[in-house]
Structure formats: C-alpha cells, structure tokens
Amino acid sequence: MKVKICKKNMKVIVCEDYEELSRQSAELIEKQIHLRPNSVLGLATGSTPIGTYRILAERNKTGVIDFSEITTVNLDEYYPISPTDPQSYRYFMNEQLFSKVNIDIDRTFVPDGSAVDPIKECIEYEERIDRLGGIDIQILGIGVNGHIGFNEPDLSLNAYTHLTDLTPSTIAVNSRFFKSEDDVPKKAITMGMASIFKARQIILLASGSSKTKAVTKVLEGDIDTSCPATLLNLHPNVIIICDRDCLPN
Ligand code: GLP
C-alpha cells in the first residue's frame, strides 16, 4: 500500500488489489464508528463496496464493531422499483450488510423507489439527512463515466437529492445485474452533488481498469462536469482508495 498526499484536501491510498482496498476502507469506517458510535454513515451500492461490507459484517460478528447506534443513509435508488425487488438498492443493502450486522433497520435509509410522489420523497430525504446532523463519512463508488451516486455527466451539477434520468451508457453498464437492458429502470432518485458535499468526509472507492479514465481525470484536478467525480477536488476532506489496476500504467 502506498499513501500519497495529492493536495491538501485529497489523500490517495493505492492498494495492491481489491482485497486490500476493501480492508483499507473497512478500517476507516471502523475507526469512525469507534470515534463516534452513533455516527451517520453514507453508503453506496455497486460491486465495489461489497468487500468492505463483508469485512464490516465479519468485524461485527467478532464484536469489534457495534452498529447498534449507527444510522445509515444511502446515496441512491432506481425509480421506479419496489424495495423488495432483488435489483433494488434497498434489497442489495439488506443482503450485503444490514441483515448481517446488529443495526436497527429503522435507522437505515434508502430513497424509496416506490414513492408515489418521487419529488416529495427527494425533498424529505434531503431534510432527513439534515435532521440527522449530516453525514460523518460518505462512501462513494464511481461509474465508468465518472458518475457519483447517479449524478450523471451534466452541465449543471448543483442539485440536492433529486429524480434523474440515467444515461444510455449507465443503463448499458448496469444491465449486467438485470435480465436485459430493457429491464433497467430509466430513472433514479439520487443524492445530488450538493448533498454529497455536505458530508464531513468522503471516501471514494475505485477498482479495476474500467475506472482508469474517470479516476485519472479526478487526479488531474481539473473540474469537468462531464466527469462528475472531478468535483470532489473541491471538497475539503476526500480519501481515494484505489487498486493498481485502476491507475494508468
Ligand atoms: C451504480 C451506482 C453508483 C456506483 C456505480 C459503480 O451506478 N449508482 O453509486 O458507484 O454503480 O458501480 P460498481 O462499483 O459496480 O462499478
């Protein structure tokens, strides 16, 4: 593992492989929970954080981490989708983490993909984050096109939690989890970049060569709304944990 301090606000941890990446991110979350047992954790879906959640569940089982006072808020959810649909992010979180740790399920929040009024759901979701006192540590993955949550490349990226259209490229990439591309919901409710920026600390996880282009752009430091993750260069406290495969040779 190599730690590079890129800029004052950004630390980059380069790991040998995915397993080490997962250990490093789980460790940071563990430290946060020990520091503040009633932390508010911002969580992400996608395949990248799965290893982190596996390790957190193991550490919970062995009594090293206690989730009993933890609150979680997830970044995003497809729309429309039922929370019981195996493709929903609520289902994913229950499977990968919540059912495996001693968390109070009533303190786990994922945008409601079955909300009749999605705009109202977005407003209430954002208000909830504020009522909770904000997010202590936000885990992020990164899309192949540089999206964060479901903040897709766009000219304006100043939104709070909102309903968004997925780009054809994201629908194509995410179709690997569905029977066909046609089955992928075309919209999502996502925290906006403005919501994400309220988090006190951000951990971005990136693994594999499909992410090289997007991660390289973030590390170059220019702000470019066609790669939303580059906006993280403006946040005061970001840690990027990536593996070798995702860095350029
Ligand atoms: C989805 C999620 C993102 C996630 C991205 C990357 O689109 N909305 O939050 O970061 O996928 O997923 P993966 O980790 O599987 O590459």
Side-chain angles (χ1 to χ4, degrees), residues 117-191:
D117 182 345
I119 305 302
K120 186 163 165 261
E121 171 64 13
C122 293
I123 294 168
E124 288 176 0
Y125 201 75
E126 192 69 38
E127 284 172 356
R128 175 170 298 122
I129 297 172
D130 291 339
R131 260 203 320 277
L132 288 167
I135 294 167
D136 290 302
I137 195 163
Q138 174 68 56
I139 302 296
L140 296 176
I142 183 169
V144 172
N145 64 0
H147 74 221
I148 294 290
F150 273 127
N151 291 276
E152 298 277 39
D154 201 344
L155 279 180
S156 111
L157 283 172
N158 53 5
Y160 289 93
T161 301
H162 61 288
L163 184 67
T164 188
D165 292 317
L166 303 185
T167 59
S169 77
T170 295
I171 291 172
V173 172
N174 288 11
S175 67
R176 68 191 193 278
F177 299 114
F178 292 79
K179 265 193 245 134
S180 76
E181 227 174 281
D182 287 344
D183 290 322
V184 184
K186 306 294 174 280
K187 290 182 186 287
I189 294 176
T190 182
M191 280 188 206

Side-chain angles (χ1 to χ4, degrees), residues 32 44 68 97:
Q32 174 64 40
S68 63
L97 186 68

Side-chain angles (χ1 to χ4, degrees), residues 45-49 75-76 89 141-143 147 149-150 174 176-177 211:
T45 54
S47 37
T48 314
L75 270 178
D76 50 10
Y89 285 169
I142 183 169
H147 74 221
F150 273 127
N174 288 11
R176 68 191 193 278
F177 299 114
K211 307 294 171 68

